[in-house]
Amino acid sequence: SEFFNKKDTSLQKDLIEFKENLFLPSRVIVSESFHTNSWIIDKNDTSFFPKLYADMKLYLADILTKAEIRSNKVSPLTEEIVLKFMETPFVAFEFSTSINSSMLPWLLDFSGVNIINKEISGIKKVIIVPNLTNEEDSCSIKIIDEIGKKVFQYSLSFKGNTGKKWYQGMIGELNRKNSPYSKYSMVNEGISSASNNIIGIPRDMLLLVPQSSKFSTFKNYSCKSPDEFIIPELDRQNKNEDIISQRKKELAQKVLKSEADSFLSSVDVNSATFRNVGNTYKVHDSGLLEYHYLQTEGNVNKGGLDEAFEKVTEFIGSKLDLVIKPETIDSQHSEPELEIYFSGLVEERDRYRFTFDYRLDGTPVYFYSQNKENNKHTSAIIIEATDKRVLDCEWIIKEFIHRGDKEYNLLFADLKDSLSQVRPDIESIKDVHPCYEVQLDANIQELKPLWLMITEKKERFIQKMVPK
């Protein structure tokens, strides 16, 4: 396609990073054991993350593509089984959603590679156990398959430059860092709610362990719709007609690139529409970009998942500059690192429905609209496709600016107390992590860190962080 022939090296670099980041783990956890210290390894940690992530992909490549490698044991997916792996030092790679078996080549960065292993339905978590207490020069790989509700175990020789001594050295160095906010612990019991019910919590859920203070520093941001998305209304004397025409032309160039001249444009209240024979784009001043393929086809065959995903990544990649800004020097405010990551897949009868979301400097961003189903959360990108083309897309495009840092309360005892008062009906929590929340319909807004809590029933609710 035209996008891949562009000579803009910055754009090509952004595309490569975009594809690499789609399947980055949401968390990489290094732990001495379930009972002692654990650490989250940030992707910008050049000491450990590159080697750990490369190791994980090498092990997965062997497991998925080599017929001679078979699982040693297959177990039902239970909390007890997973916790047993965590009794000795381990490294866990957690993904935001289960990665379907058809999409595993993308996880390995080898689109089109032949996956020999057909027993794994999907991957939600990969655990490397380096077996530091025995003399064998091998590690154990545990694959958590939430789709098939199974755990697959493999024994493989160490890869690359890592081995027992390297893993021991890493854990030793993490222990010596003594950062007051670096250590985590696992939860091993439920918590009492205001109604005296026990709120169940998975025993492998990570919680921060403040050492010298119960506060930690988080970033605050501002968020707004792109200026180019806001086209002024025509005044009564039509004096600004030329301005509106120019703004439409600039917006068409930004969204449609070299195809802009093939589209007819019109402006409505709070939106602009661009249409040709087969396609329509609607740009809202809220930052929402809609795309629809206009030509209907009967009895559509959705085709292969990997081909449909290729079409989706081409579509997003061709408009990546709408959200990924070039690096600029700003004396007052820094441009945050915005990542797009794959967050969900639904297979429908005649199409695939993919969702993608944003991370701001590593922290997830969630969107909601006050006009839709009682503040229901939505993904940053919802896109439907077949193996032939993208059919529909809704993409929330916002600009984020770092506005400084502030300290917030991280003590879990305080969080659970506020939780039990606000939601005494909650029976169990599956996960808790920091996030930012953006109201889709608002133009300019301030973003402060929040707690996102996910129940066993996959209900999401937000709890405010308490500032210092």
Side-chain angles (χ1 to χ4, degrees):
S1 69
E2 177 206 1
F3 175 68
F4 293 102
N5 292 327
K6 293 201 174 192
K7 295 182 179 179
D8 188 331
T9 55
S10 175
L11 195 59
Q12 291 288 355
K13 179 175 176 286
D14 288 340
L15 175 62
I16 293 169
E17 289 183 359
F18 157 66
K19 289 193 171 185
E20 287 177 347
N21 289 341
L22 280 178
F23 293 101
L24 275 180
S26 57
R27 284 195 299 205
V28 177
I29 303 161
V30 173
S31 181
E32 287 184 304
S33 80
F34 164 72
H35 305 285
T36 55
N37 294 323
S38 300
W39 301 267
I40 289 181
I41 307 300
D42 186 87
K43 79 178 187 72
N44 295 318
D45 183 334
T46 56
S47 299
F48 303 124
F49 184 88
K51 284 188 176 182
L52 290 172
Y53 188 47
D55 266 12
M56 185 270 292
K57 290 201 289 186
L58 286 171
Y59 291 130
L60 275 185
D62 281 355
I63 289 169
L64 297 172
T65 64
K66 295 183 178 180
E68 65 272 18
I69 295 179
R70 303 288 182 88
S71 56
N72 302 333
K73 187 177 181 181
V74 181
S75 309
L77 178 55
T78 65
E79 188 179 78
E80 288 71 25
I81 291 289
V82 175
L83 288 175
K84 190 171 180 60
F85 305 149
M86 298 180 171
E87 291 178 350
T88 61
F90 68 87
V91 181
F93 302 81
E94 298 180 352
F95 297 95
S96 300
T97 189
S98 289
I99 301 173
N100 186 291
S101 58
S102 298
M103 302 180 74
L104 291 178
W106 290 84
L107 173 61
L108 301 177
D109 295 334
F110 302 129
S111 179
V113 71
N114 186 23
I115 301 295
I116 301 295
N117 188 321
K118 302 298 183 185
E119 59 182 356
I120 298 173
S121 302
I123 295 177
K124 183 65 171 69
K125 185 184 293 187
V126 177
I127 301 174
I128 300 176
V129 181
N131 299 325
L132 301 183
T133 57
N134 62 38
E135 296 181 359
E136 295 179 17
D137 191 28
S138 64
C139 59
S140 300
I141 310 298
K142 325 291 184 180
I143 293 180
I144 311 300
D145 179 358
E146 287 191 351
I147 296 175
K149 300 188 184 307
K150 294 177 182 178
V151 179
F152 297 90
Q153 303 181 48
Y154 301 84
S155 181
L156 297 174
S157 299
F158 284 107
K159 290 287 184 184
N161 298 321
T162 60
K164 289 186 191 297
K165 288 185 178 180
W166 187 86
Y167 280 94
Q168 287 170 335
M170 174 181 63
I171 292 173
E173 186 171 338
L174 288 170
N175 264 315
R176 288 190 295 273
K177 281 188 174 179
N178 290 324
S179 167
Y181 311 117
S182 63
K183 288 188 180 179
Y184 290 69
S185 70
M186 307 287 185
V187 180
N188 53 26
E189 59 184 11
I191 60 175
S192 297
S193 71
S195 60
N196 293 322
N197 294 324
I198 297 297
I199 299 177
I201 295 180
R203 288 179 289 167
D204 64 341
M205 190 175 82
L206 280 183
L207 291 172
L208 234 105
V209 184
Q211 294 171 28
S212 62
S213 167
K214 68 177 184 178
F215 297 97
S216 186
T217 302
F218 281 85
K219 295 181 178 181
N220 291 339
Y221 301 92
S222 66
C223 167
K224 70 182 184 70
S225 304
D227 293 338
E228 299 92 336
F229 280 29
I230 302 172
I231 296 180
E233 295 183 36
L234 191 66
D235 59 29
R236 292 182 179 179
Q237 289 79 32
N238 295 347
K239 290 182 179 179
N240 63 342
E241 189 172 3
D242 291 342
I243 296 174
I244 292 174
S245 177
Q246 181 61 29
R247 293 290 289 273
K248 279 196 303 182
K249 187 177 295 185
E250 291 171 357
L251 181 57
Q253 289 289 339
K254 187 174 183 67
V255 175
L256 305 172
K257 308 294 188 296
S258 63
E259 296 180 338
D261 292 340
S262 69
F263 283 77
L264 297 175
S265 62
S266 61
V267 176
D268 201 351
V269 178
N270 301 326
S271 66
T273 302
F274 304 94
R275 181 191 299 262
N276 66 11
V277 174
N279 311 274
T280 182
Y281 291 85
K282 190 169 187 178
V283 182
H284 301 259
D285 61 10
S286 65
L288 176 64
L289 170 64
E290 293 183 82
Y291 166 78
H292 302 287
Y293 178 68
L294 299 177
Q295 298 179 12
T296 58
E297 300 175 1
N299 299 320
V300 174
N301 178 7
K302 62 185 178 184
L305 174 59
D306 51 346
E307 291 91 348
F309 193 69
E310 179 70 43
K311 291 291 185 291
V312 164
T313 56
E314 280 192 31
F315 182 91
I316 298 174
S318 69
K319 305 182 189 314
L320 210 54
D321 60 327
L322 294 175
V323 289
I324 307 296
K325 305 299 178 186
E327 294 184 7
T328 58
I329 298 175
D330 191 317
S331 59
Q332 291 183 319
H333 307 295
S334 59
E335 192 80 26
E337 182 182 11
L338 183 71
E339 295 174 12
I340 300 173
Y341 68 93
F342 171 69
S343 59
L345 165 70
V346 176
E347 293 195 34
E348 299 179 356
R349 181 186 59 83
D350 60 346
R351 64 189 63 196
Y352 299 96
R353 187 172 184 266
F354 302 92
T355 56
F356 300 83
D357 281 287
Y358 298 144
R359 290 191 190 103
L360 259 183
D361 294 319
T363 301
V365 178
Y366 298 100
F367 292 90
Y368 72 98
S369 170
Q370 291 190 330
N371 299 327
K372 289 185 179 180
E373 300 180 27
N374 198 22
N375 291 1
K376 185 176 179 182
H377 283 93
T378 186
S379 288
I381 306 173
I382 302 172
I383 187 164
E384 298 178 352
T386 66
D387 63 336
K388 299 291 190 298
R389 62 182 56 84
V390 169
L391 302 174
D392 295 287
C393 178
E394 290 186 356
W395 187 345
I396 302 170
I397 295 169
K398 296 284 189 180
E399 294 180 352
F400 300 92
I401 299 175
H402 178 213
R403 295 293 184 183
D405 302 338
K406 193 169 184 176
E407 289 191 318
Y408 291 86
N409 187 344
L410 285 186
L411 207 59
F412 184 64
D414 295 345
L415 175 61
K416 75 174 186 180
D417 288 343
S418 62
L419 165 65
S420 63
Q421 292 171 14
V422 175
R423 290 295 302 269
D425 58 307
I426 294 297
E427 296 178 356
S428 62
I429 296 172
K430 187 175 182 180
D431 198 7
V432 177
H433 61 253
C435 74
Y436 295 95
E437 189 179 46
V438 177
Q439 182 181 337
L440 170 59
D441 315 283
N443 183 6
I444 301 174
Q445 54 197 301
E446 300 231 347
L447 305 184
K448 298 179 181 179
L450 304 163
W451 290 113
L452 174 70
M453 304 190 187
I454 304 174
T455 70
E456 284 291 342
K457 297 178 181 178
K458 297 187 177 180
E459 177 190 9
R460 292 179 174 184
F461 60 97
I462 297 292
Q463 186 76 12
K464 288 184 179 180
M465 281 191 187
V466 179
K468 186 173 181 179

